[in-house]
Amino acid sequence: FRASFFQTHADDHPLVAHFCGDDPSTVGRACRMAADLGADAVDLNLGCPQRVAFAGHYGSYLLGDDDRQTVVAIVKAMRAAAPPDVAVCAKVRLLDAPEHTRKLVEDLRDAGAQVVAIHGRKRATWHKK
């Protein structure tokens, strides 16, 4: 299934595999599979503001203080699973204060992210009814 679903061409480089999730082990295994299939980089999407991301507990809904350890663990798992020549990246949104965004980026860097892209909008906040 993976081989037929994840197809590339020799000219598809650099190739970045983009993931979402809230389980470090699962995301780490996905990164290893993507690297084995030729990805040059793996990217964690911490920017998705969609309602489905809220319901699934991923994307920008992992940017709260209560999920920081989970996010750090995910990036550490990505770095541990990906070969050294595969870049680990993350996409985030702005937090409520610039110093909070800076701290998040530093935490991601310290966990093993080599590239952090910051989407210039704040994260969405869906509330359960």
Side-chain angles (χ1 to χ4, degrees):
F1 170 78
R2 286 182 189 99
S4 64
F5 185 73
F6 189 85
Q7 296 179 10
T8 66
H9 184 274
D11 293 336
D12 289 341
H13 291 278
L15 179 64
V16 180
H18 192 61
F19 297 106
C20 64
D22 68 353
D23 179 66
S25 177
T26 300
V27 177
R29 283 193 316 273
C31 290
R32 172 47 98 181
M33 287 179 205
D36 289 347
L37 291 168
D40 300 299
V42 290
D43 180 56
L44 179 63
N45 182 355
L46 295 171
C48 183
Q50 300 299 318
R51 178 90 167 122
V52 67
F54 171 75
H57 192 238
Y58 60 86
S60 68
Y61 301 98
L62 290 176
L63 293 179
D65 289 339
D66 52 334
D67 286 312
R68 183 62 54 88
Q69 288 183 332
T70 299
V71 168
V72 166
I74 292 169
V75 173
K76 285 182 177 180
M78 293 170 71
R79 182 66 278 158
D85 62 332
V86 173
V88 172
C89 312
K91 174 191 169 194
V92 302
R93 285 186 175 243
L94 293 171
L95 301 182
D96 291 333
E99 60 272 13
H100 297 156
T101 303
R102 185 180 65 249
K103 177 67 169 120
L104 169 64
V105 171
E106 290 169 350
D107 289 347
L108 294 171
R109 176 203 61 205
D110 294 346
Q114 295 154 290
V115 176
V116 177
I118 302 173
H119 190 286
R121 291 191 296 196
K122 291 189 177 180
R123 70 184 185 116
T125 53
W126 287 93
H127 298 286
K128 292 183 179 180
K129 295 183 181 189

